[in-house]
Amino acid sequence: MSAAPNAGPGGEVPDPVVVDAYATGLLATTVTALPDGGHHWLRRPGPRAPEPFTPVTARLRALVERASAAPGTRLLMGTAAPDGARTYAAPGPYSVAHRLIAGGGPHAVPGGPRALHATLREVGALLAALHATPVPEEARRPARAAVRLHAWLSGSTTAGGATAADLLGGAAAGPLRLWAAAAARPATGHVLSHGAPGLGSLLLADAADAADDADGAGAGAAVLLTGEDLCAAPPHVDLGWIAGELAEFRWLLGASADPRVWQRPLDALLDGYGGDPATARDGCVRGAALRIALHAHDTAAYLPDGAGTARRYGALATALAEGAAA
């Protein structure tokens, strides 16, 4: 009998190794490297999360996996684990968000900017396919993020003691409250949505496995962790989530760089999504403002000493909201 894959000289198999772990009051994540070269992601709601992850029925799982049938980047559904957690067998130890922050921009993503653009184009196509799927009854619930944001914007909650007016100002809080209410209420125009397709849930293979050719090959190894927030929402909730994060990264990492460095990933996302470009962009601005306002809330509410950073996110959300409402 042959030794197990990656076994040592004596046939022993090394134990899994935790390569990353981080947590806030909202979400805790542990990433483990497996002996076979894969990675295991364990995510669970944090101790102060207002709601658990959304349940996933067999029918909902099948619908989502059907939307992810095309080659390339795919929606990776998690498996239920104890204490309300989800686990994922993923291609790499770090998310796109981690790579951008640690490396200072798109050049740090495995495969470089071309691979990032190709991946986001595929993510756009995935979201379009998901949004075109009829909403099953068990997914007719609002996005957890929209509920959390609307409760804060309407004055039902505070974020670490801060009101929406404290972090956003009264002028921006008004339109944001209306947009969040529209996202949180049932409506005929709502679509089956990922609910929180962040760059922190988008995983690429390690650099050694990502080819940086002229077409951005290697992007097909990417997965978008999916299932914790499946819901019914306006399309701009999903698109705006990613657009908002790209706006944050441009603001935090590349404000003085060529603006195309951050515009091109957004263009790739919208190109992959298709439809009317003007409508998509208008929706993206509103959705991005909502995403960044939520980030202001979550930073203040779930991170120790997050008030200063939350105010900076609030300023960015305010600028976007005022522009979208003009």
Side-chain angles (χ1 to χ4, degrees):
M1 180 181 295
S2 63
N6 298 326
E12 71 279 4
V13 177
D15 292 331
V17 176
V18 173
V19 295
D20 206 1
Y22 43 93
T24 70
L26 184 65
L27 178 69
T29 302
T30 303
V31 184
T32 304
L34 304 177
D36 65 1
H39 293 83
H40 175 269
W41 283 60
L42 173 69
R43 288 160 56 102
R44 70 176 73 251
R48 295 167 58 198
E51 293 183 87
F53 292 155
T54 56
V56 177
T57 64
R59 179 173 68 157
L60 184 54
R61 177 182 292 274
L63 288 172
V64 172
E65 290 177 345
R66 191 178 306 153
S68 186
T73 303
R74 60 193 176 92
L75 302 171
L76 182 63
M77 297 290 286
T79 301
D83 301 322
R86 298 277 170 86
T87 64
Y88 306 85
Y94 301 117
S95 68
V96 168
H98 175 100
R99 305 278 192 180
L100 291 172
I101 293 170
H107 63 275
V109 171
R114 286 195 295 270
L116 177 61
H117 302 163
T119 297
L120 287 177
R121 190 172 290 107
E122 291 174 353
V123 168
L126 279 176
L127 293 177
L130 186 65
H131 293 175
T133 301
V135 183
E137 193 58 38
E138 59 265 42
R140 293 188 182 280
R141 53 184 169 243
R144 294 191 306 149
V147 171
R148 189 164 76 248
L149 180 60
H150 183 252
W152 180 54
L153 292 169
S154 63
S156 300
T157 62
T158 64
T163 67
D166 290 334
L167 296 184
L168 303 169
L176 284 166
R177 183 170 57 252
L178 293 175
W179 301 337
R185 293 194 202 105
T188 55
H190 287 189
V191 297
L192 180 59
S193 299
H194 181 288
L199 299 177
S201 298
L202 181 59
L203 319 178
L204 280 70
D206 281 334
D209 300 321
D212 185 18
D213 64 15
D215 297 320
V223 298
L224 180 62
L225 306 186
T226 304
E228 298 164 13
D229 295 275
L230 286 165
C231 63
H236 65 252
V237 168
D238 278 349
L239 291 172
W241 196 286
I242 299 175
E245 291 189 346
L246 289 171
E248 289 179 358
F249 283 125
R250 177 179 176 180
W251 178 58
L252 292 169
L253 303 175
S256 61
D258 183 344
R260 291 175 296 180
V261 169
W262 297 102
Q263 184 62 42
R264 284 169 179 156
L266 177 58
D267 290 343
L269 174 75
L270 297 178
D271 180 59
Y273 189 80
D276 178 56
T279 300
R281 287 183 185 280
D282 288 346
C284 262
V285 175
R286 277 186 325 226
L290 287 171
R291 169 64 186 123
I292 299 170
L294 179 70
H295 204 172
H297 168 275
D298 290 352
T299 301
Y302 302 117
L303 285 178
D305 303 319
T309 303
R311 289 187 183 280
R312 291 193 288 275
Y313 285 129
L316 180 57
T318 295
L320 283 173
E322 291 176 346

